[in-house]
């Protein structure tokens, strides 16, 4: 399982505890590390130690779980009637529907809440009220293999037609995956939304209703089917069977000419010595006007009370220093405007600038809908059929739209 950001984590649960205190706050957190050396346990251990030193009446008890386990663990705790005070996870809307969560403005000081990046704060809202506090964010850009592009004598594409032409040239040079199109069940909802946005569509319309089978989306997937998949420009694995992790691994082997990626691909490619470039996602007539933004969320449960202590601790968590430390440790984008401005101006963070520059024009999944989990799961299972031989983009998107409408009406 991966986080909303697409990051895979491998470590199991662990506890971080302080000494005796008047109030103990329990936090369930997700692990963003890929080994014991960079486990999120170390980040929280340092942060908690610093906080408790200045707040002797408060103890923070943190349990860190892999992304395979964290959402399930929180569900089990809630079902047992013993939710944590805080949980950092991939979704929140179900708990809002159950009236389990504090509103962000019941917890955070005004300066801290106002510091959230606008798109991320909006994505944390249900019916105009913020419950989900963004904890980590990322955007997507188009990665390309510089050596393969040089060999084919091509430049990075800015339009769909240029992307198709580049893919043809790469195919002519024997590149295994001219454009890797991972629509497999691991993270198909991300690649799907990236392409929908580049075609002027998206999962929802201007009034936040599902619009999966919009004319723009049908045109986008018809183009993918006819101009990339149908011309054998997406590699030997059918897109509906190609997962993101496998596409990234193939890129790191030098087998992929182009693939949409998030910051973790930089490390994966660099480890294998692949020289890569990054450009904004191409659109129909120029660079895409919007790109995919993703976020994971901090939430606070009402069951145990402790509102003031939870709010004070979260104010500390979202200080510029701590947000920057987390973002830099895991090559993620800051969720606050103050930390974003610092990162944009810092030479040490220049490798993240292509992603940071995309954030103002990013759009996020409709995570404020409790129906989104079901819709996302269906997209992962079905969307590959839209570009398969004999597949019908309009038919598959129409089926997904009907599924979404049913899920939404069942809320």
């Amino acid at each position: 399982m991966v986080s909303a950001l697409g990051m895979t984590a491998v470590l199991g649960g662990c506890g971080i505890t302080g000494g005796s205190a008047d109030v103990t706050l329990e936090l369930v957190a997700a692990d963003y590390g890929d080994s014991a050396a960079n486990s999120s346990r170390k980040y929280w251990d340092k942060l908690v130690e610093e906080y408790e030193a200045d707040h002797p009446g408060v103890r923070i008890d943190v349990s860190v779980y892999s992304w395979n386990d964290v959402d399930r663990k929180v569900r089990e705790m809630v079902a047992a009637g013993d939710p944590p005070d805080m949980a950092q996870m991939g979704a929140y809307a179900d708990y809002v529907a159950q009236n389990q969560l504090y509103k962000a403005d019941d917890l955070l000081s005004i300066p801290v809440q106002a510091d959230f990046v606008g798109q991320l704060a909006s994505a944390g809202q249900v019916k105009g009220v913020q419950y989900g506090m963004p904890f980590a964010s990322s955007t997507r850009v188009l990665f390309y293999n510089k050596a393969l592009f040089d060999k084919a004598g091509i430049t990075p594409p800015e339009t769909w037609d240029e992307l198709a032409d580049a893919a043809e040239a790469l195919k002519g040079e024997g590149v295994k995956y001219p454009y890797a199109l991972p629509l497999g069940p691991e993270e198909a909802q991300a690649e799907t939304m990236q392409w929908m946005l580049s075609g002027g569509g998206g999962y929802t319309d201007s009034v936040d209703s599902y619009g999966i089978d919009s004319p723009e989306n049908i045109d986008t997937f018809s183009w993918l089917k006819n101009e990339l998949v149908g011309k054998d420009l997406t590699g030997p694995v059918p897109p509906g069977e190609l997962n993101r992790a496998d596409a990234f691994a193939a890129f790191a082997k030098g087998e992929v000419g182009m693939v949409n990626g998030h910051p973790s691909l930089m490390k994966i490619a660099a480890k294998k010595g692949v020289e890569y470039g990054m450009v904004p996602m191409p659109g129909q007539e120029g660079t895409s006007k919007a790109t995919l933004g993703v976020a994971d969320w901090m939430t606070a449960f009402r069951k145990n009370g402790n509102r003031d202590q939870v709010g004070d601790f979260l104010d500390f968590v979202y200080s510029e220093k701590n947000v920057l430390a987390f973002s830099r440790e895991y090559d993620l984008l800051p969720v606050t405007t103050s930390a974003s401005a610092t990162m944009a101006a810092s030479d040490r963070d220049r490798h993240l600038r292509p992603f940071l520059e995309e954030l103002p024009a990013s759009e996020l999944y409709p995570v404020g809908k409790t129906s989104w989990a079901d819709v996302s799961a269906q997209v992962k299972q079905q969307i590959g059929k839209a570009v398969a031989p004999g597949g019908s983009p309009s038919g598959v998107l129409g089926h997904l739209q009907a599924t979404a409408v049913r899920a939404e009406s069942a809320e």
Side-chain angles (χ1 to χ4, degrees), residues 152-173:
I154 53 178
T155 56
E158 295 182 1
T159 67
W160 286 359
D161 287 344
E162 290 176 5
L163 186 149
D165 290 342
E168 284 280 10
L170 292 163
K171 180 185 176 183
E173 293 293 334

Side-chain angles (χ1 to χ4, degrees), residues 163-211:
L163 186 149
D165 290 342
E168 284 280 10
L170 292 163
K171 180 185 176 183
E173 293 293 334
V175 175
K176 189 173 182 180
Y177 294 88
Y179 177 85
L181 182 64
L183 295 177
E186 178 188 79
E187 209 201 10
Q189 83 285 0
E191 187 75 10
T192 295
M193 185 166 174
Q194 184 80 351
W195 276 99
M196 284 178 170
L197 291 172
S198 73
Y203 285 119
T204 56
D205 57 24
S206 59
V207 294
D208 200 36
S209 296
Y210 283 111

Side-chain angles (χ1 to χ4, degrees), residues 20-36:
S20 61
D22 299 327
V23 175
T24 297
L25 302 180
E26 186 174 9
L27 166 62
V28 172
D31 199 331
Y32 290 80
D34 56 12
S35 68

Side-chain angles (χ1 to χ4, degrees), residues 349-364:
D349 302 308
R350 61 185 179 276
H351 62 295
L352 287 172
R353 283 180 192 157
F355 301 93
L356 202 57
E357 289 166 357
E358 293 295 297
L359 193 56
S362 66
E363 294 190 20
L364 283 79

Side-chain angles (χ1 to χ4, degrees), residues 310-331:
V310 168
D312 187 74
F313 176 66
L314 289 178
D315 274 359
F316 178 72
V317 168
Y318 284 108
S319 67
E320 181 179 336
K321 179 189 74 169
N322 289 327
V323 171
L324 277 173
F326 180 85
S327 301
R328 285 168 168 163
E329 176 65 29
Y330 299 107
D331 278 335

Side-chain angles (χ1 to χ4, degrees), residues 1 12 34 69 74 111 117 124 153 165 204 210 231 240 243 264 274-275 278 283 285 305 309 323 326 340 356-357 362:
M1 182 175 174
D34 56 12
D69 301 320
V74 174
V117 173
D165 290 342
T204 56
Y210 283 111
K231 294 183 178 180
N243 283 324
S264 66
V274 172
E275 191 175 356
M278 299 180 290
E285 298 177 359
Q309 293 89 345
V323 171
F326 180 85
S340 295
L356 202 57
E357 289 166 357
S362 66

Side-chain angles (χ1 to χ4, degrees), residues 184-257:
E186 178 188 79
E187 209 201 10
Q189 83 285 0
E191 187 75 10
T192 295
M193 185 166 174
Q194 184 80 351
W195 276 99
M196 284 178 170
L197 291 172
S198 73
Y203 285 119
T204 56
D205 57 24
S206 59
V207 294
D208 200 36
S209 296
Y210 283 111
I212 297 173
D213 62 347
S214 69
E216 293 84 359
N217 291 340
I218 291 172
D219 287 347
T220 294
F221 276 84
S222 296
W223 186 88
L224 283 171
K225 180 177 185 294
N226 297 328
E227 302 301 323
L228 289 187
V229 182
K231 294 183 178 180
D232 197 26
L233 299 177
T234 54
V237 179
E241 299 174 18
L242 181 65
N243 283 324
R244 173 78 57 191
D246 296 327
F248 281 10
F251 188 86
K253 292 178 184 176
E255 297 175 344
V256 174

Side-chain angles (χ1 to χ4, degrees), residues 93-94 210 366 368-376 404 406-409 411:
D94 283 353
Y210 283 111
K369 295 178 177 291
T370 58
S371 58
W372 170 242
D374 289 339
V375 173
S376 176
R406 284 196 301 271
E408 184 80 349
S409 64
E411 288 187 17

